[in-house]
Amino acid sequence: MTTAETLPVTGTASIPPSPTVAHETRRRFGRWFRETGWRHLVGIAMLVFSAFPLVYVLSASLNPGGTLLTANSLFATVDIGSYIALFQDPLRPYGNWFVNSVFIGLTTSFFTVVLCALAAYAFSRMRFTGRRFGLLTLLLVQMFPQLLAVVAIFLLMSAIGDIFPALGLNSQIGLIMVYLGGALGVNTFLMYGFFNTVPASIDEAAKIDGAGHARIFFTIILRLVAPVLAVIGLLSFIGTMNDFLIASVVLVDPDKQTLAVGLYQFVSQETARNWSVFAAGAVLAAILPMALFLGLQRFIVGGLTAGSVK
């Protein structure tokens, strides 16, 4: 009879990874990098490229040096004196500029959404002579840059001001009318694509119940196309707030000017340039559009993609 002797195990020896396992790991990493990993690097690079100007402007607004060269060392000096000086200059009423920009931006956005929605509903649901020609015309007009119309806008506003001063030069209402005329084309076409995604059977069911076009539009369709309404309103507001060319031509009185035109006065004169105050005004002006963008973010992707399918 034989007995098997069991030897005690005193330790375990480390087994080095085989060359096959290391090669397989490198292959997996290389495959991941080719398929997905390089996108992360591109995303990080674009994030740094996009965020650096914003960080630099914020640093310049907190640096009381008055020039952009003194802000090379980011946040080396932190002082809110530029923000205080922004509201203490009697010749440059920043508060009035901000109120004017918000008023013009919100008014333009509201009427842009209403007018574009009405036009898009007509093009999407009704069949009439010149419908296709009208859509193509709206799209082709937007291909010409706005700079080409500056002289025509100035002459037109000057002539209208002789008859209706409230709609002529140096009039905020007149500037809003100019913005509305320029925003109807591409926004109507974008809304038209979104309206086509709403089934026409909904309209037919409402008509059977006795609803007319006005009731269908205001009580049913507008609720279903809320994402694209938010997108158009946001894009119109941001575009109006950022516009400098048209606003500088139409508005002359400093009390009626917008932020984009008014802030230029801080850096327009060679002997009185103050880039720190200009940067502070730009930072404050960016807060409201950024808040609206974050608040309507859930509508933006859906509104743009659904409107571009058709």
Side-chain angles (χ1 to χ4, degrees):
M1 180 177 182
T2 61
T3 58
E5 296 182 359
T6 304
L7 297 178
V9 179
T10 58
T12 57
S14 59
I15 302 175
S18 62
T20 304
V21 176
H23 179 68
E24 184 66 23
T25 302
R26 287 194 298 269
R27 284 186 56 188
R28 290 179 179 177
F29 176 79
R31 181 179 178 182
W32 171 83
F33 185 82
R34 289 193 304 270
E35 295 179 354
T36 308
W38 65 272
R39 302 178 184 178
H40 293 76
L41 295 180
V42 174
I44 294 174
M46 294 303 298
L47 178 62
V48 173
F49 180 79
S50 302
F52 177 75
L54 305 179
V55 176
Y56 193 89
V57 171
L58 179 60
S59 176
S61 68
L62 298 174
N63 193 318
T67 63
L68 293 179
L69 296 178
T70 58
N72 287 337
S73 300
L74 297 179
F75 303 103
T77 304
V78 178
D79 187 3
I80 61 173
S82 298
Y83 291 90
I84 298 176
L86 194 64
F87 296 93
Q88 293 181 345
D89 192 342
L91 300 178
R92 300 180 178 94
Y94 182 83
N96 291 345
W97 298 340
F98 190 86
V99 173
N100 294 339
S101 295
V102 173
F103 168 73
I104 294 174
L106 293 179
T107 305
T108 303
S109 301
F110 174 77
F111 284 104
T112 297
V113 170
V114 173
L115 295 178
C116 290
L118 291 171
Y121 178 78
F123 281 119
S124 177
R125 290 296 192 264
M126 301 178 184
R127 298 297 181 264
F128 51 89
T129 304
R131 170 178 169 273
R132 182 176 179 82
F133 177 77
L135 283 173
L136 294 178
T137 303
L138 287 176
L139 187 62
L140 290 175
V141 168
Q142 301 303 310
M143 296 182 180
F144 296 94
Q146 204 174 37
L147 182 63
L148 296 177
V150 172
V151 177
I153 290 175
F154 177 81
L155 296 177
L156 182 62
M157 298 292 290
S158 179
I160 292 177
D162 296 335
I163 303 175
F164 300 103
L167 299 178
L169 292 176
N170 201 29
S171 170
Q172 295 181 356
I173 303 299
L175 180 62
I176 293 173
M177 295 298 178
V178 174
Y179 285 148
L180 289 177
L184 289 180
V186 63
N187 292 331
T188 300
F189 203 83
L190 181 62
M191 277 195 180
Y192 166 74
F194 199 99
F195 273 57
N196 287 340
T197 62
V198 178
S201 57
I202 298 178
D203 301 25
E204 297 174 357
K207 290 178 181 179
I208 293 176
D209 293 336
H213 284 293
R215 188 172 183 181
I216 293 174
F217 175 77
F218 287 105
T219 62
I220 300 176
I221 300 298
L222 286 185
R223 297 182 181 181
L224 298 177
V225 298
V228 76
L229 299 182
V231 170
I232 297 301
L234 179 62
L235 294 179
S236 177
F237 180 79
I238 294 177
T240 303
M241 290 281 290
N242 294 337
D243 179 69
F244 173 81
L245 183 62
I246 303 298
S248 63
V249 172
V250 177
L251 300 178
V252 181
D253 190 355
D255 292 333
K256 295 183 178 181
Q257 290 176 343
T258 59
L259 273 176
V261 181
L263 286 177
Y264 179 69
Q265 298 180 15
F266 288 105
V267 294
S268 60
Q269 300 178 4
E270 186 69 27
T271 58
R273 290 184 177 180
N274 195 328
W275 289 98
S276 180
V277 179
F278 176 84
V283 171
L284 293 180
I287 293 177
L288 183 58
M290 183 176 63
L292 290 176
F293 183 85
L294 294 176
L296 301 176
Q297 189 175 9
R298 62 192 183 96
F299 295 109
I300 293 175
V301 176
L304 287 176
T305 55
S308 62
V309 171
K310 296 294 182 179

